Amino acid sequence: MISVFAGQESGFAAEVIFSALERSVSAGLVNRALSADKAITDGIYVFISPDETQASLIAAAVAGRSKVLIFGAIPPTIAPLCGLMSVSPLSTNWVEAAACEPTPIYQTTRSSAEVRWSGHPLASASPFATRPFLRFDYADEWNNLGFGRITADGGLWSIAVEAEVGGADVLAWAARDEVAAPTSFVTLSETATSSVLWWNRAAGAVDSAEWAVIEAFLSDWRPGDRPCVPVISEIPWGYDTAITMRLDCDEDIASARPLFELYRERNLPFSVAIKTAQEDRDDHVVLLKEILAADGAVLSHSVTHAPRWGGSQEACRLEARGSSDWLEERLPGFTVRYAVSPFHQNPAYVPAGLKQAGLEGFVGGIIANDPEMLLARGGVIPGDDTGLVTHSQQCMMHGDCILNEGDPIAITKQAFVNACQTETLFGYLDHPFSPRYDYGWGSEEHRVARHADFLDFIAAETADKKVAWMNEDTALDWIAAKSHLRLEKSPSGFSQTAGAAEVEDYAFAVRFQGARKALTELLHD
C-alpha cells in the first residue's frame, strides 16, 4: 500500500500525483493519508511539497523498512532526510533558460535548461540521457517526444529549488548553461532500512516517460529488503509493444484514402477522428464504412473544431453530441464512444461535457496547454469524478515535422523507441489533406512514402517481437479496463478485487520485483 501525504502548500499537485500513482498501480494500492491519524510503519510513503510539520513523519518513515517518495520543494529541516546538504530558492536565471522559441518548419527548438540523467541503475529506467525543459517540433504546440515542459515559475510544473547534494546519489541533474553549476533534480538516499527518492518538481514526472523511473522505484528497486508494489503495464501480456495511429479529419475525409490503403494493405488498423461540419459527401461516408469494416475506428473530433471545445461545459456537450449524431446517422448500427479533443485543448469542464454527451473518454494531452492532461500513463484524470479516461498522444507525424537535416523521421523513430523502453502504449497521428492545406507534406506521394518508411522501421525494430496494433477505440478500451482494475494487498501477496482480467483478447501484465509477468501469475503467488 502506498500512503500519500499532501503538504499545506501542495494544492492541486496532490491530485496530480495521487491520480498518477493510481494509473500505475491501481486505486486499491494508493490511499490518502492524514498526518494527524496516520501511524508510520513499514511501507511506501509519498510526500508532496512537505512542510515543517511533516518532518517527524518523514523521519519516522525513513527509520522504518520503507520507500519514501518526496516531490517538490522541501524546507531545510527535511533536506538531510533526502541526503541533501542544502536547499535554496531558484535563481531568476532559470526562467529564461527554461524557455525556447517556436520552431520553424522542418526543425526543432529546445531550451538551454535541461535534465541530465546519470549512470545510476535506477536512472536507466529513463529513456532519455538528457532532455530539455522545453522543446518543440511544430510551432509552439507539439513536442513529438511526448514530455511536458518544466517551468521555472515556482508552480506545480516548475523546478522547485536549487539543491546541493550531501550523501544522496544524484540520478539526474538540472543544468541551465555550461557556466553555472548544475543543481540536483532527482536524488536517491539510502539508509540501512529505507530508500528515499526526491524529485525536484511538485508534479514529478507525471507528464513524461521519465515516470518509468518512479515505477521502477516502486516495483523493482531493492526487492530483497525494501517493500515493492506491482505496476500494471500499458503493454498486454504476451506482447512487447502496443501501437495505435489515427488521422484527425478536420477537412476532406475522403482525402485520407491513399493513406488508408497503405495501412489496409499491411493489415494494420486505421483510425479517424471526424470534425463533422464539412461538406456532406457520399465518398466521405463510403471511406468511413470501409475503415470500420477493416477493423478501424471512428471517433468524434467535434462539430466545428472550436477552440477549448466551445468555451463551456454546455458548448462541449453540444459539440460532442452533435458530431456523434452526425456520424451515427450515416453509419447505421455504429455508436461513437470516444473523442479526440480539437487542438488537444481540455479545460477542466471537458470531461463532464463529454460524459453528458454520452462519451466514455478522449485523446488529449499536448505541451501547449492544459498540462494536467498530458499523462505519461493513460487513465484517470486528476481531480475528476466523471469516470472518463484519457490517453495522451503527442507524436504528430506531419510534413512540417519532417527534418531537413539527417534522417527525416528521426524524431518519430525515437518516440517509438522511447515508448518501447518504458512499456508505453505508443500513439501517433496525422491529418488528411484539404484544398487549403497539406500540412507541409507537399504531395500525397511524399506523405505515403514517409509513413511507409516509418512502418518499415517499426517492422525492423520488432522483427523478433510481438506487436499489439490497436485501433483507437480498442486502445482507449484497454486504457479504461486498466483503470477499472483494482489490486489490493492480501495475506498471501496481492488480490484483484475489481476489473476484468482482459479486454479484446488482451490480458494484463505487471512489473514486480524485477520481473515482468502475467497479472494472473502475480495473483497466484
Side-chain angles (χ1 to χ4, degrees):
M1 177 67 73
I2 301 172
S3 297
V4 181
F5 294 86
Q8 294 176 0
E9 303 300 322
S10 61
F12 187 54
E15 295 296 336
V16 168
I17 294 294
F18 192 86
S19 62
L21 292 167
E22 287 188 322
R23 292 191 296 270
S24 290
V25 305
S26 90
L29 292 175
V30 189
N31 78 328
R32 301 175 190 268
L34 299 176
S35 299
D37 63 9
K38 180 67 181 179
I40 297 291
T41 58
D42 296 347
I44 300 177
Y45 298 95
V46 177
F47 296 86
I48 305 158
S49 301
D51 50 63
E52 296 276 359
T53 65
Q54 294 178 314
S56 61
L57 284 170
I58 296 175
V62 172
R65 181 177 175 271
S66 64
K67 287 178 179 173
V68 182
L69 264 164
I70 300 177
F71 295 99
I74 52 177
T77 52
I78 293 176
L81 296 171
C82 300
L84 301 175
M85 187 177 301
S86 64
V87 291
S88 58
L90 280 180
S91 161
T92 57
N93 294 331
W94 283 98
V95 175
E96 182 178 356
C100 73
E101 295 296 319
T103 187
I105 60 173
Y106 316 129
Q107 299 178 46
T108 67
T109 54
R110 53 181 290 154
S111 63
S112 60
E114 64 181 13
V115 176
R116 300 172 182 171
W117 287 90
S118 73
H120 190 279
L122 188 54
S124 67
S126 168
F128 309 113
T130 63
R131 60 146 286 191
F133 278 26
L134 176 64
R135 73 181 297 279
F136 294 123
D137 291 282
Y138 175 72
D140 57 357
E141 297 180 35
W142 294 88
N143 170 13
N144 286 345
L145 292 181
F147 52 81
R149 73 180 72 198
I150 300 171
T151 64
D153 59 9
L156 165 59
W157 310 100
S158 173
I159 180 174
V161 294
E162 295 191 30
E164 184 177 357
V165 72
D169 292 323
V170 178
L171 274 59
W173 299 95
R176 67 175 184 263
D177 54 44
E178 296 304 321
V179 177
T183 191
S184 302
F185 190 69
V186 183
T187 62
L188 178 68
S189 178
E190 301 275 25
T191 74
T193 60
S194 65
S195 299
V196 182
L197 185 69
W198 173 64
W199 211 287
N200 192 357
R201 187 181 187 228
V206 301
D207 55 351
S208 170
E210 292 151 309
W211 183 257
V213 176
I214 292 167
E215 290 185 332
F217 180 69
L218 295 173
S219 65
D220 299 333
W221 185 247
R222 297 188 64 162
D225 61 356
R226 300 288 190 267
C228 292
V229 292
V231 165
I232 306 166
S233 178
E234 279 197 343
I235 308 303
W237 176 246
Y239 291 85
D240 299 287
T241 192
I243 309 169
T244 184
M245 68 78 59
R246 72 173 199 276
L247 295 190
D248 291 346
C249 299
D250 300 346
E251 301 174 67
D252 201 359
I253 300 164
S255 73
R257 178 167 291 280
L259 203 58
F260 166 62
E261 297 294 354
L262 168 69
Y263 282 78
R264 181 160 65 171
E265 288 169 5
R266 299 195 182 205
N267 295 314
L268 301 176
F270 194 79
S271 301
V272 289
I274 306 299
K275 186 200 82 171
T276 55
Q278 53 181 293
E279 189 177 358
D280 195 352
R281 297 188 343 229
D282 290 344
D283 57 345
H284 292 335
V285 177
V286 168
L287 179 60
L288 294 179
K289 290 180 177 179
E290 289 186 41
I291 288 171
L292 291 174
D295 195 31
V298 177
L299 294 80
S300 165
H301 197 36
S302 79
V303 176
T304 66
H305 207 274
R308 302 178 69 78
W309 278 100
S312 70
Q313 181 176 320
E314 176 61 10
C316 176
R317 183 189 70 82
L318 293 171
E319 285 277 346
R321 189 64 253 162
S323 61
S324 298
D325 288 344
W326 189 96
L327 290 164
E328 290 169 3
E329 287 168 5
R330 287 155 182 79
L331 301 169
F334 173 70
T335 300
V336 177
R337 295 187 296 119
Y338 296 112
V340 174
S341 295
F343 305 107
H344 281 222
Q345 292 174 340
N346 298 286
Y349 53 76
V350 165
L354 295 181
K355 185 178 180 66
Q356 287 181 326
L359 299 186
E360 301 169 19
F362 59 97
V363 177
I366 191 172
I367 199 168
N369 46 259
D370 309 309
E372 70 277 6
M373 293 291 188
L374 180 54
L375 308 180
R377 294 284 182 246
V380 296
I381 301 162
D384 179 67
D385 60 3
T386 64
L388 266 67
V389 297
T390 187
H391 178 225
S392 301
Q393 297 177 19
Q394 202 188 168
C395 186
M396 182 172 72
M397 193 170 179
H398 271 184
D400 294 319
C401 301
I402 296 299
L403 299 178
N404 57 5
E405 294 183 4
D407 182 347
I409 56 173
I411 302 301
T412 314
K413 290 177 178 179
Q414 188 60 53
F416 175 68
V417 170
N418 292 350
C420 291
Q421 180 180 336
T422 56
E423 295 189 23
T424 300
L425 171 59
F426 176 67
Y428 65 106
L429 71 142
D430 198 350
H431 288 70
F433 287 1
S434 73
R436 70 174 185 88
Y437 189 36
D438 67 6
Y439 297 90
W441 284 112
S443 70
E444 192 64 66
E445 292 77 16
H446 180 216
R447 184 239 288 277
V448 170
R450 290 302 182 206
H451 273 259
D453 289 344
F454 187 47
L455 295 178
D456 290 344
F457 171 79
I458 291 174
E461 286 288 300
T462 60
D464 59 346
K465 298 179 174 63
K466 191 173 181 182
V467 180
W469 275 94
M470 301 178 178
N471 70 40
E472 196 66 68
D473 277 355
T474 301
L476 283 161
D477 284 347
W478 172 251
I479 292 296
K482 179 175 177 285
S483 296
H484 295 151
L485 283 177
R486 187 178 181 93
L487 305 183
E488 294 187 11
K489 194 77 175 68
S490 68
S492 59
F494 297 92
S495 61
Q496 181 182 342
T497 59
E502 59 183 42
V503 58
E504 296 277 342
D505 298 323
Y506 294 126
F508 289 99
V510 295
R511 291 204 62 84
F512 184 59
Q513 295 184 333
R516 189 173 194 267
K517 60 179 70 179
L519 173 60
T520 52
E521 183 183 352
L522 173 81
L523 301 178
H524 289 163
D525 286 348

